[in-house]
Amino acid sequence: MKQQKISYEVNGTINPEDMADVFRSSGIRRPVNDLERMGRMLEEAQLTVSARVGGELVGIARCLTDFSYACYLSDLAVKKEHQSSGIGKELIEHVKQAIGPQTALILLSAPEAMDYYPKAGFEKVENGFIVKREF
């Protein structure tokens, strides 16, 4: 099987349906059946990085940031059939390039992804707190 070229785009056009498809395939838990909410998630993000193969969205990083001190990586998802190919790490690298070295990159990990993030250059921290969403 020929390996297809992966293209990355910062703040490109992403539609909620395509993002929902990536989330469904990746296993990430998001409100994929509420496309209006998915649309708001995209509209209000200050930074997105998309990964495409042959025009098909196969990965996404979605961030909330001030581009000067902190960046919250709220979503990092890659379709199941493209996982373990370096797309997630490349999405993170594009985020880091976009926010610059003065900006901390922060995320909350799903329990099943805890082993992935140290391999992608993240340091585990113990000094965090959360008020969880109601739904």
Side-chain angles (χ1 to χ4, degrees):
M1 184 169 108
K2 182 184 174 195
Q3 184 157 355
Q4 295 182 315
K5 183 179 184 322
I6 303 163
S7 62
Y8 296 89
E9 186 175 19
V10 175
N11 289 334
T13 301
I14 302 168
N15 70 53
E17 295 86 358
D18 289 345
M19 184 169 76
D21 286 344
V22 170
F23 288 170
R24 278 187 199 96
S25 174
S26 73
I28 194 172
R29 293 179 298 273
R30 296 295 184 269
V32 295
N33 295 321
D34 186 347
L35 292 179
E36 181 181 330
R37 188 172 180 187
M38 297 288 284
R40 287 194 316 268
M41 290 166 63
L42 282 166
E43 289 169 13
E44 300 301 330
Q46 289 89 15
L47 175 62
T48 61
V49 181
S50 56
R52 295 182 186 273
V53 173
E56 174 192 2
L57 185 68
V58 298
I60 184 169
R62 192 180 68 84
C63 306
L64 307 172
T65 184
D66 57 19
F67 291 98
S68 60
Y69 190 76
C71 176
Y72 173 61
L73 177 55
S74 55
D75 300 315
L76 179 68
V78 177
K79 282 189 171 183
K80 187 67 114 182
E81 63 269 23
H82 294 278
Q83 290 178 1
S84 299
S85 64
I87 292 174
K89 288 180 182 175
E90 190 65 27
L91 288 167
I92 291 167
E93 284 305 311
H94 278 77
V95 167
K96 289 166 55 177
Q97 288 173 16
I99 63 176
Q102 291 184 327
T103 307
L105 184 55
I106 304 158
L107 64 84
L108 294 174
S109 176
E112 57 273 10
M114 289 294 290
D115 291 337
Y116 172 77
Y117 290 105
K119 295 173 192 169
F122 284 81
E123 175 185 339
K124 186 176 181 183
V125 296
E126 301 292 336
N127 60 337
F129 299 91
I130 185 173
V131 175
K132 292 189 175 183
R133 71 186 70 76
E134 292 181 24
F135 59 94

